[in-house]
Amino acid sequence: MNDAPHYDDSLTIALLRAREAVTAQFREHVTAAGLTLPQWRVIRALAGGVEMDTTTLADRTVILPPSLTRILRHLGKNDLIEQVPARDRRQRVIRLTATGQSLFDEVWQVSQTRYAAIEAAFGEQEMVVLVESLNRLRRSLKG
Amino acid sequence: MNDAPHYDDSLTIALLRAREAVTAQFREHVTAAGLTLPQWRVIRALAGGVEMDTTTLADRTVILPPSLTRILRHLGKNDLIEQVPARDRRQRVIRLTATGQSLFDEVWQVSQTRYAAIEAAFGEQEMVVLVESLNRLRRSLKG
DNA sequence: TATTGTTATACTCTATAACTATA
DNA sequence: TATAGTTATAGAGTATAACAATA
């Protein structure tokens, strides 16, 4: 035998499985809107008139720069995002188009009901505690 | 404005970021051993003489069957896993070779120090609570 | 007839390195 | 020289369908 913690107790596996279970709640209606989940994260990060450079956007959406480049090309082709002139001409500053904001509003409405269902099943207070714990874990590893 | 929860408070984003931060602790030494993280999950699931069919293995490692087929082909080519004759001849039952177990032992030694470091930074008790909470979340969404 | 697993297909994401353009 | 972003490449994830072999 070895002294590995029982596989189910592994933090990495627990994170993977939890993420799988949670994203499953959103995949269907996001896909139905013609978006992948990473594409949806980008749109969500820009919702409400936010303008953002791609480095910040990559960090906020947890998408690596090469993926983000492709995603932005795709979203731009579908007229969901547009580029804003930036002072620093190395930067690419992005915002939603009116079409993009409309799509956000539509998908977000369904997402809210899904969030509510997760909170109902898991517990509202437990959810707050869990998100805080996850963010604390991340900070303790990065700092 | 919209009534989206603040982006940082989102469960999906918190899960993604936490997973990113945790896997970053393991990626370097697993990669140095010539393995990807999914390949490592497979080897870890089989460590200690475990024999497992691919359906169970796919579930335990959170890898979809088509991906697992590819990964097993790769690991087999590198002589890290081998097939075991099974009663039900539809099943493909897998175990580690001696080479595979050696590689596990080597990588696992480093992984243990990484786990210990995470526990030290985040708190041993908090870690137990977090893993329990993640597993409870998953069960509440699946059941 | 149902189940196990593989193959096929298409597209996307993940990750790293090398590169271009601007500062 | 440093930074922002893109391109290139390989492995892996996502999803569905079709298929062979076995039960």
Side-chain angles (χ1 to χ4, degrees):
Chain A
M1 292 303 278
N2 61 72
D3 52 353
H6 189 274
Y7 205 73
D8 290 333
D9 297 340
S10 153
L11 176 62
T12 51
I13 292 291
L15 282 168
L16 265 176
R17 284 179 168 161
R19 182 174 95 82
E20 183 203 32
V22 170
T23 57
Q25 309 297 312
F26 296 95
R27 182 166 285 126
E28 190 182 10
H29 75 278
V30 170
T31 301
L35 298 170
T36 64
L37 288 171
Q39 288 167 3
W40 168 241
R41 289 206 299 281
V42 170
I43 288 179
R44 199 186 148 188
L46 296 172
V50 171
E51 301 185 350
M52 207 179 278
D53 67 280
T54 64
T55 297
T56 308
L57 193 54
D59 182 64
R60 303 255 298 163
T61 55
V62 196
I63 295 171
L64 292 178
S67 292
L68 188 56
T69 294
R70 230 177 308 125
I71 289 169
L72 293 178
R73 185 160 52 223
H74 183 88
L75 295 178
K77 220 180 300 180
N78 292 8
D79 204 33
L80 298 171
I81 60 160
E82 63 191 358
Q83 191 162 345
V84 183
R87 284 176 210 87
D88 185 336
R89 277 159 57 210
R90 291 174 303 184
Q91 285 190 330
R92 186 173 164 201
V93 177
I94 301 293
R95 71 176 164 219
L96 291 187
T97 61
T99 311
Q101 181 66 42
S102 292
L103 186 59
F104 168 81
D105 293 339
E106 187 186 308
V107 176
W108 179 245
Q109 211 172 349
V110 183
S111 288
Q112 275 179 307
T113 74
R114 294 288 186 280
Y115 267 116
I118 295 173
E119 276 186 350
F122 182 58
E124 196 169 339
Q125 191 51 39
E126 283 89 337
M127 183 100 121
V128 173
V129 171
L130 174 57
V131 170
E132 267 170 16
S133 181
L134 289 168
N135 287 331
R136 196 153 25 89
L137 170 63
R138 171 171 52 90
R139 283 194 303 272
S140 76
L141 298 181
K142 294 265 162 120
Chain B
M1 291 302 278
N2 61 71
D3 52 353
H6 190 273
Y7 204 75
D8 290 333
D9 296 341
S10 153
L11 176 61
T12 50
I13 292 292
L15 282 168
L16 267 175
R17 283 180 168 161
R19 184 175 94 81
E20 182 204 32
V22 170
T23 57
Q25 311 296 312
F26 296 96
R27 181 165 288 124
E28 190 181 9
H29 74 277
V30 170
T31 300
L35 297 170
T36 64
L37 289 172
Q39 289 166 2
W40 169 241
R41 288 206 300 281
V42 170
I43 288 179
R44 198 187 149 188
L46 297 172
V50 170
E51 302 185 349
M52 206 179 279
D53 66 281
T54 64
T55 297
T56 307
L57 192 54
D59 181 63
R60 303 255 294 164
T61 56
V62 196
I63 296 171
L64 291 179
S67 293
L68 187 57
T69 294
R70 241 178 297 144
I71 289 169
L72 292 178
R73 186 161 51 224
H74 183 89
L75 296 178
K77 219 181 302 180
N78 293 8
D79 204 33
L80 299 171
I81 60 162
E82 63 191 358
Q83 191 162 346
V84 183
R87 286 178 208 85
D88 185 335
R89 279 159 57 208
R90 290 174 305 184
Q91 285 189 329
R92 185 172 165 201
V93 177
I94 300 294
R95 71 174 164 219
L96 291 186
T97 61
T99 311
Q101 182 64 41
S102 293
L103 185 59
F104 169 81
D105 293 339
E106 188 186 308
V107 175
W108 180 245
Q109 211 172 348
V110 183
S111 287
Q112 275 180 307
T113 73
R114 294 287 185 282
Y115 267 115
I118 295 174
E119 276 186 350
F122 182 57
E124 196 169 338
Q125 190 51 39
E126 283 89 338
M127 184 100 121
V128 173
V129 171
L130 174 58
V131 171
E132 267 171 15
S133 180
L134 289 168
N135 287 331
R136 195 153 24 89
L137 170 63
R138 173 170 50 90
R139 284 195 301 272
S140 76
L141 297 181
K142 294 265 163 123

